[in-house]
Amino acid sequence: MPLTFSVECFYIVFEDEIHQTIVENNLFKPGDRVAIGASGGKDSTVLAYVLSELNHRHKYCLDLFLLSVDEGITGYRDDSLETVKRNEIQYGLPLKIISYKDLYGWTMDDIVKAIGLKNNCTFCGVFRRQALDRGAALLKVDKIVTGHNADDIAETVLLNILRGDIARLSRCTFITTGEDGPIPRCKPFKYTYEKEILDYFSTECIYSPNAYRGFAREFIKDLERMRPRAILDIIKSGSPQQQGCQSKEHKLCKACVLLDGLNRGLPKLGVGRTKGVAGGDSDCEQQAKRPERSRSSLQGKHGNIDF
Amino acid sequence: MAAAAASSCGGAGCGPHCSSSASAAAVEDAAAAAAEKVGRLSLSRECGKCGGGAAAVAVAGGLGLCGECFRANLLGKFKLAVTSNAMVRPTDSVLLAFSGGPASRVALQFIHEMRCKAIESWDVSNSQALPVFGVGVAFVDESVLCSKPRDEIEMAIEDIRSIVSSLSTGVKAMHIVRLEDVFSTESEDGERRLREAVDMIGDDTGREDFLRCLRMLSLQKIAMENGYAKIMLGSCASAIACHVLSATVKGQGYSLPADVQYVDTRWEIPVVLPLRDCLAQELTLLCELDSLKTQQHLDRPSNGINSLVASFIKRLREENPSREHTIVRTAQKLKPFSFNKFSADGYHDFLPSRLRPKFQKVDSDESTFSEILCLMCGSPFSESELQNLESTKHKAQKKIDLYTAHCCQSCYFQILPAGENLNEHFFSLLPKLWTGKMDTISDSHSLLRDQIEEYLLEENDDGN
């Protein structure tokens, strides 16, 4: 039987559930420097608030930072960055903004102009992931937290089934990922339903209507209406309980492959299942028709990254 | 008349009133319409396989195929599944589950053709050492839960009978069995128990899944009572794709690999899926092209999660026709269970060496698998379900506790009624084929408990 709460009790229960998730999964240790991936959206705004509250209330002894990525989407990201700047003041958390322009020499506006509205989300997703890593490295943090909630994770499980990506399927339900890398990431909202997240304001990215993810999201919403626990059941189904799934280590960083493709006027390089290898294109006529963008010193040799 | 006209002009058509040309054109139109419904993209005009100039009616592997080649493609997949998984031994009697739908209709047709071929080979063989496998057909009559008028139901069942009897080489037997017979052979008692059990299930999806479990139980019962060695289902790639998503959504990700393999030996009578690589649309098209009669009048509308998943898959298919194959391939990459292979026992005489790795290496004395299965749906228990079962076994005071602990978490949530008293009554209604196993376990558990009673600590014993 679902329980109903007064507003005050809901806040208490909600915060307590997040605290239990943090404690039971040993997400942090005292003294950790933690960067909160802040988009200005509802999930990361609530995450920043709740984490700073719990840090104080339960004495986690964490140093919290807000880390925001500016993809350079006019009319969208500039607005949400204002929200993050307000969060900086409201919650007293230092803010670092890192932009695609600084990192790669391209904004998302430039990328969409170059490649159109197909596969633009692939670029953005990969670049954002690396941008967060770069920003976190600059802040010298021990961990990154993101506001991915139960609906997001359930959707990712479904998408990986639909795409046949068994390697990602085995990883996508982990509450902490990248523990073998320099900066692990964790999702304190893993078991939190989207609807529970306060301050929900729906601001879809203006380039996102073509995102395949929306397809699965609609299905998940219908499912939730029919059987609310289905979202957690999807996450449970996606949790790795099987041996024998093989994940493939990628030899090159995906961001480098994509960026190389952009700079060489080959926007399809690295998109989809093709194994794009920088410099490996045998068709000389397709060499860059555009001049190469100036590269930031943050690009370059950084070894193998399993994404 | 049409046949006579066709023979006089050789089928080429001798004028606008020639029924021969009209019927040929009608078939072509029907094929084109059927292909249109399949939603094939970039359908080439001619068959790309045989190059005989015949019009393409469907696409497979990127090639447009004429009717003959399309049929051969599907039959090839069926035969490959049967032979490469050694699904049918020459000595086997195979029970085909026939629902009346296109998939099981094609399975019936193909297994019948394979049997005809085997009989021809046997006839011309000098030694005739190996027998030809037998085929029986089972239809589970669920009309007791159907709201359609009785005469329509009887007509539909008669149609089912006539479809099977129209096969050129007769089947071993046609079994039309009422679903309620798994509860009791006395029809009124069985019907009462079935209705009462179904009414106690509050969840739409739970009710559908409960009936699906009963259907499997019914097939097992028919097969055991009539000496069949295998049960063949017409589950196609589309149905399996739906099941993959449904199981994911119900939290059954752990047991999912068990349901999507060619072979499933966890049941008393092993179950095989020879149509696993064929899409529902392909099978429907084949039925139209070959005029294979189907009967789906008794199908009940689906509600709940299964229906939602089916419409989601339909939408995915419209966006990308090969999505169902991708979903099935994803599930195939998960590690199957030990019972998803036949044991080698009994196969060595017939088994080519290239197929031996597909078989379990077990001694005939050992049990073929160690997994604990759900009482109702047969899903293997995950780690958490096993832990729950173990702790319940230690603490269980009543039989009902053991019963519920032997249900997987999904069945527990969506099928079992809430409340202990209701649960007890629900289990009292269930078929003895299910609860009998639990009674044996419970009795041995009680016996053991009685034997060690004096050594057991009470829960509030503080050791003083």
Side-chain angles (χ1 to χ4, degrees):
Chain A
M1 232 10 206
L3 299 175
T4 51
F5 298 103
S6 65
V7 172
E8 292 80 15
C9 290
F10 173 72
Y11 286 148
I12 294 169
V13 168
F14 180 86
E15 289 162 9
D16 193 57
E17 276 180 3
I18 306 300
H19 170 63
Q20 289 306 320
T21 301
I22 290 170
V23 167
E24 284 165 15
N25 291 277
N26 297 314
L27 294 188
F28 310 117
K29 55 185 193 303
D32 272 350
R33 289 168 65 88
V34 177
I36 303 168
S39 63
K42 58 157 188 350
D43 298 309
S44 55
T45 301
V46 171
L47 178 65
Y49 171 76
V50 170
L51 208 45
S52 64
E53 269 297 304
L54 296 178
N55 188 34
H56 173 74
R57 190 182 304 162
H58 296 287
K59 298 179 177 34
Y60 293 161
C61 301
L62 305 176
D63 281 332
L64 296 176
F65 302 87
L66 292 173
L67 176 58
S68 212
V69 175
D70 179 6
E71 302 97 340
I73 302 175
T74 313
Y76 167 68
R77 185 52 78 202
D78 35 12
D79 287 344
S80 57
L81 282 178
E82 292 308 311
T83 305
V84 180
K85 287 172 187 166
R86 277 200 303 277
N87 294 156
E88 178 189 17
I89 299 165
Q90 282 166 334
Y91 310 144
L93 303 175
L95 168 64
K96 170 79 183 159
I97 298 177
I98 196 149
S99 73
Y100 282 8
K101 187 71 182 175
D102 290 339
L103 282 177
Y104 310 116
W106 291 74
T107 62
M108 272 313 293
D109 287 346
D110 296 333
I111 291 171
V112 170
K113 272 190 206 127
I115 68 169
L117 289 172
K118 204 173 175 197
N119 298 320
N120 51 296
C121 290
T122 301
F123 282 84
C124 193
V126 171
F127 285 166
R128 188 188 306 111
R129 181 176 287 271
Q130 189 181 73
L132 271 179
D133 285 335
R134 297 298 168 82
L138 286 173
L139 287 170
K140 295 185 175 49
V141 297
D142 302 298
K143 206 159 265 188
I144 300 170
V145 293
T146 57
H148 290 97
N149 57 50
D151 294 50
D152 293 325
I153 296 172
E155 197 177 275
T156 304
V157 169
L158 283 180
L159 283 171
N160 286 328
I161 292 175
L162 297 181
R163 289 176 185 150
D165 197 333
I166 201 72
R168 283 207 179 109
L169 182 62
S170 65
R171 295 194 302 264
C172 69
T173 58
F174 292 163
I175 196 168
T176 302
T177 52
E179 282 174 300
D180 50 351
I183 305 178
R185 293 163 183 240
C186 61
K187 306 178 187 80
F189 284 169
K190 177 183 170 183
Y191 300 108
T192 311
Y193 279 43
E194 186 179 44
K195 66 160 76 149
E196 294 177 300
I197 294 184
L198 297 174
D199 275 6
Y200 174 62
F201 57 97
S202 175
T203 311
E204 289 293 331
C205 174
I206 55 173
Y207 293 136
S208 78
N210 291 308
Y212 188 63
R213 196 168 266 276
F215 220 26
R217 178 54 67 106
E218 213 180 298
F219 171 62
I220 289 199
K221 286 298 161 198
D222 290 337
L223 261 178
E224 191 188 359
R225 271 188 286 274
M226 203 172 275
R227 185 185 283 187
R229 65 174 263 167
I231 292 177
L232 291 183
D233 281 342
I234 293 173
I235 296 175
K236 180 182 151 198
S237 288
S239 300
Q241 299 171 72
Q242 296 279 333
Q243 296 164 14
C245 305
Q246 291 179 339
S247 65
K248 292 179 185 162
E249 293 293 328
H250 292 260
K251 295 207 180 336
L252 287 179
C253 163
K254 183 79 168 187
C256 277
V257 172
L258 290 177
L259 187 59
D260 188 52
L262 279 176
N263 288 331
R264 292 163 62 202
L266 301 169
K268 293 235 162 63
L269 196 64
V271 172
R273 291 181 191 272
T274 54
K275 290 186 178 142
V277 176
D281 191 351
S282 58
D283 185 354
C284 298
E285 288 181 0
Q286 288 192 32
Q287 287 296 319
K289 294 173 186 167
R290 303 163 60 100
E292 280 202 16
R293 299 284 170 142
S294 59
R295 292 183 186 190
S296 156
S297 59
L298 291 172
Q299 279 183 304
K301 306 176 184 67
H302 39 62
N304 297 343
I305 291 180
D306 176 25
F307 58 88
Chain B
M1 287 295 284
S7 62
S8 69
C9 71
C14 49
H17 302 294
C18 176
S19 56
S20 172
S21 63
S23 60
V27 166
E28 214 176 284
D29 285 346
E36 203 52 49
K37 270 195 271 179
V38 171
R40 299 298 174 187
L41 298 171
S42 56
L43 194 62
S44 58
R45 288 199 169 271
E46 286 183 3
C47 180
K49 190 166 171 74
C50 63
V57 299
V59 172
L63 269 182
L65 299 178
C66 65
E68 286 294 324
C69 291
F70 175 64
R71 186 183 203 285
N73 177 270
L74 290 183
L75 179 58
K77 286 185 196 174
F78 182 90
K79 278 185 183 168
L80 185 64
V82 170
T83 53
S84 66
N85 292 282
M87 285 184 184
V88 180
R89 298 176 295 190
T91 51
D92 279 344
S93 273
V94 176
L95 181 69
L96 179 89
F98 182 54
S99 65
S104 55
R105 180 65 186 90
V106 171
L108 175 64
Q109 188 66 28
F110 283 171
I111 196 67
H112 164 68
E113 287 179 22
M114 282 186 73
R115 184 162 187 273
C116 290
K117 191 85 195 293
I119 290 173
E120 278 173 27
S121 303
W122 187 83
D123 280 341
V124 300
S125 157
N126 287 330
S127 65
Q128 296 185 340
L130 292 179
V132 174
F133 64 91
V135 174
V137 178
F139 173 77
V140 179
D141 174 7
E142 300 175 33
S143 58
V144 71
L145 299 169
C146 185
S147 54
K148 291 191 165 60
R150 192 69 226 165
D151 57 339
E152 280 183 34
I153 293 171
E154 279 166 14
M155 220 155 50
I157 293 179
E158 201 42 52
D159 264 351
I160 300 273
R161 259 190 242 277
S162 72
I163 289 171
V164 177
S165 59
S166 70
L167 298 172
S168 57
T169 310
V171 297
K172 176 181 164 181
M174 169 91 210
H175 308 274
I176 297 185
V177 173
R178 293 171 310 178
L179 184 64
E180 57 268 34
D181 288 350
V182 290
F183 288 83
S184 166
T185 45
E186 289 164 37
S187 73
E188 280 179 20
D189 183 45
E191 187 179 327
R192 177 194 62 81
R193 285 166 63 181
L194 171 61
R195 282 188 192 280
E196 212 178 318
V198 169
D199 286 344
M200 288 182 78
I201 302 171
D203 187 278
D204 283 340
T205 312
R207 256 196 305 278
E208 278 179 23
D209 287 355
F210 178 65
L211 290 173
R212 184 174 49 83
C213 300
L214 287 179
R215 209 175 289 134
M216 174 58 86
L217 187 66
S218 182
L219 289 171
Q220 290 286 319
K221 186 166 178 280
I222 298 167
M224 284 188 285
E225 288 172 356
N226 294 279
Y228 290 98
K230 306 275 166 53
I231 294 174
M232 188 174 277
L233 299 182
S235 304
C236 62
S238 308
I240 292 173
C242 283
H243 179 72
V244 168
L245 289 195
S246 298
T248 301
V249 157
K250 293 167 194 169
Q252 292 178 305
Y254 177 77
S255 60
L256 175 57
D259 306 326
V260 302
Q261 309 300 327
Y262 288 108
V263 168
D264 185 355
T265 67
R266 73 188 122 154
W267 313 99
E268 286 289 335
I269 307 295
V271 171
V272 295
L273 308 183
L275 283 178
R276 201 189 76 156
D277 300 318
C278 304
L279 296 173
Q281 283 194 314
E282 293 174 330
L283 300 171
T284 304
L285 179 57
L286 182 66
C287 287
E288 288 174 11
L289 293 174
D290 280 11
S291 305
L292 297 178
K293 196 174 171 195
T294 57
Q295 173 50 265
Q296 293 177 273
H297 188 62
L298 298 177
D299 287 0
R300 280 192 308 280
S302 178
N303 294 317
I305 284 178
N306 299 325
S307 163
L308 184 64
V309 166
S311 45
F312 179 58
I313 295 257
K314 184 178 169 205
R315 209 174 143 200
L316 291 174
R317 191 169 56 234
E318 283 160 11
E319 180 256 343
N320 182 347
S322 61
R323 187 65 66 193
E324 288 161 318
H325 278 313
T326 305
I327 294 171
V328 173
R329 268 200 303 274
T330 308
Q332 271 175 248
K333 290 177 193 172
L334 299 172
K335 188 180 171 191
F337 291 87
S338 57
F339 52 70
N340 288 122
K341 276 183 173 185
F342 287 120
S343 76
D345 181 41
Y347 271 82
H348 279 141
D349 291 346
F350 316 115
L351 206 54
S353 55
R354 65 187 164 85
L355 290 187
R356 296 217 172 136
K358 286 186 179 273
F359 284 71
Q360 299 174 40
K361 293 186 178 63
V362 290
D363 295 329
S364 51
D365 291 342
E366 291 173 5
S367 60
T368 50
F369 59 88
S370 56
E371 288 87 354
I372 306 285
L373 304 178
C374 172
L375 169 66
M376 284 192 278
C377 69
S379 297
F381 271 19
S382 64
E383 194 60 46
S384 58
E385 286 162 339
L386 282 172
Q387 284 170 5
N388 176 56
L389 178 61
E390 284 308 306
S391 79
T392 305
K393 271 183 185 170
H394 290 305
K395 296 184 299 196
Q397 302 288 331
K398 296 182 236 179
K399 207 182 273 192
I400 187 63
D401 297 329
L402 274 181
Y403 283 172
T404 54
H406 272 90
C407 293
C408 67
Q409 287 169 357
S410 176
C411 287
Y412 184 91
F413 168 74
Q414 64 174 13
I415 295 179
L416 297 194
E420 197 181 291
N421 293 337
L422 286 175
N423 261 340
E424 276 205 60
H425 182 57
F426 182 75
F427 276 106
S428 72
L429 297 169
L430 292 185
K432 284 285 172 257
L433 281 169
W434 279 345
T435 53
K437 284 185 245 178
M438 294 300 104
D439 291 338
T440 311
I441 293 172
S442 166
D443 289 344
S444 67
H445 177 78
S446 300
L447 183 64
L448 186 64
R449 196 180 170 85
D450 290 339
Q451 286 175 348
I452 60 172
E453 184 83 54
E454 59 177 302
Y455 304 108
L456 290 174
L457 293 172
E458 295 298 325
E459 279 190 22
N460 56 358
D461 193 326
D462 61 3
N464 291 331

